[in-house]
Amino acid sequence: MEAQLSDVEAGRRFYGELFGWTFGQTGDSGEDGEDGESDEGGGDAGDPASGPERPKAPGKAEQPGTAERPGRAGRPGVPQQPVTSLRAYLEGEPVAALVRKTDGRMPTVWSVYFHTPDARALAERIRAGGGQVVTPPHPVGELGTAALAADPEGAVFALWEPGGHRGFGRRHEPGTFAWAELYTRDTEAANAFYGDLFHDALFGPDADPDFGRAPVSDVFPAEMPPHFLVHFLVRDVEAALGTVARLGGRVRVPPFETSYGRAAVVSDGQGASFALLQR
């Protein structure tokens, strides 16, 4: 999973203090962390190193340039480019990525990725099920293949077919991914759509899903569009809310009980929403 942000360095400061993450340039295994692998099955939410290209605004080109690694001084007289992407680590294992938006009109969001052994085949099944492939499957260097899609109600998610980067090195621990909840207007339609795409991962004999769904109106105003909400595990929700506020974030929904734990919805200082989950 990854956050699409206007200011990656501000994101580094916020999430570094909130979750204890360290950071390195995408593709690095150097001074700030080491690459790790996870053996996630198809349908699990994943953590790509960098995600699918979001559609550019009409007439606006992507800005060229490569960022310096954090902490490395630039050459005298040469202006340093802003950091465009960082991989986040916890105890040396990859847990997320922060990516700079290429267009300010793009949403500031946390994106959920689903692991798949064949992104192109799954993209065809998404279309056949009434969903939309927003960005077709495409290679992300040697790291893997990514795509961006939307379900029939418009909830956006991404696909990750791993190459050199498998996904999470840690999850279900404090400071890491714990759950993804789809807030939708039609839970039965969501069951059918995602059940067809990820049947074994959700309903198979060995299924241990970290993905659920609920009506939008259970937590949000009824007019809120359907969407995925990423949950990070914390030891103490109330204490974490205090840290979010101190770092310039906002509490969007105070703590409430769910079938999978005690959750609260917050946003970082740039507006990317996510949930804190205590179990």
Side-chain angles (χ1 to χ4, degrees), residues 26-276:
T26 299
D28 280 355
S29 57
E31 58 202 40
D32 289 315
E34 296 179 356
D35 289 345
E37 295 186 353
S38 66
D39 296 323
E40 297 171 273
D44 285 350
D47 160 40
S50 59
E53 295 178 6
R54 302 250 170 184
K56 300 186 181 84
K60 186 152 186 177
E62 184 175 353
Q63 294 297 316
T66 303
E68 296 281 346
R69 286 176 57 181
R72 176 178 290 182
R75 289 176 294 170
V78 179
Q80 289 183 274
Q81 299 289 334
V83 174
T84 58
S85 64
L86 292 172
R87 187 179 291 171
Y89 300 86
L90 187 66
E91 297 183 11
E93 299 285 353
V95 293
L98 309 181
V99 178
R100 183 169 63 87
K101 298 189 297 183
T102 56
D103 188 317
R105 290 170 289 183
M106 293 168 59
T108 301
V109 295
W110 273 98
S111 299
V112 174
Y113 284 74
F114 289 100
H115 177 289
T116 175
D118 189 336
R120 295 187 183 282
L122 188 55
E124 289 303 317
R125 291 172 58 201
I126 288 168
R127 291 190 182 99
Q132 179 185 3
V133 178
V134 180
T135 303
H138 61 280
V140 182
E142 297 180 354
L143 299 173
T145 299
L148 193 69
D151 69 17
E153 287 203 323
V156 175
F157 60 97
L159 309 178
W160 184 252
E161 178 186 331
H165 181 65
R166 294 288 302 170
F168 295 127
R170 289 177 178 269
R171 58 177 177 161
H172 301 167
E173 303 175 19
T176 71
F177 170 84
W179 189 262
E181 187 78 348
L182 169 65
Y183 286 97
T184 180
R185 293 197 174 91
D186 189 337
T187 56
E188 292 304 316
N191 288 347
F193 179 77
Y194 292 99
D196 177 66
L197 295 182
F198 307 122
H199 182 272
D200 289 345
L202 294 175
F203 306 116
D206 299 320
D208 184 20
D210 44 20
F211 160 44
R213 87 289 179 273
V216 169
S217 57
D218 277 6
V219 176
F220 301 101
E223 62 270 19
M224 175 78 77
H227 64 284
F228 280 91
L229 184 67
V230 173
H231 292 55
F232 295 102
L233 195 65
V234 295
R235 290 186 175 87
D236 185 325
V237 166
E238 280 74 14
L241 290 177
T243 303
V244 167
R246 178 171 57 80
L247 295 172
R250 295 181 61 186
V251 178
R252 301 291 182 177
V253 181
F256 59 98
E257 298 297 331
T258 74
S259 61
Y260 50 87
R262 181 170 171 78
V265 182
V266 300
S267 60
D268 64 23
Q270 300 179 66
S273 292
F274 57 99
L276 303 170

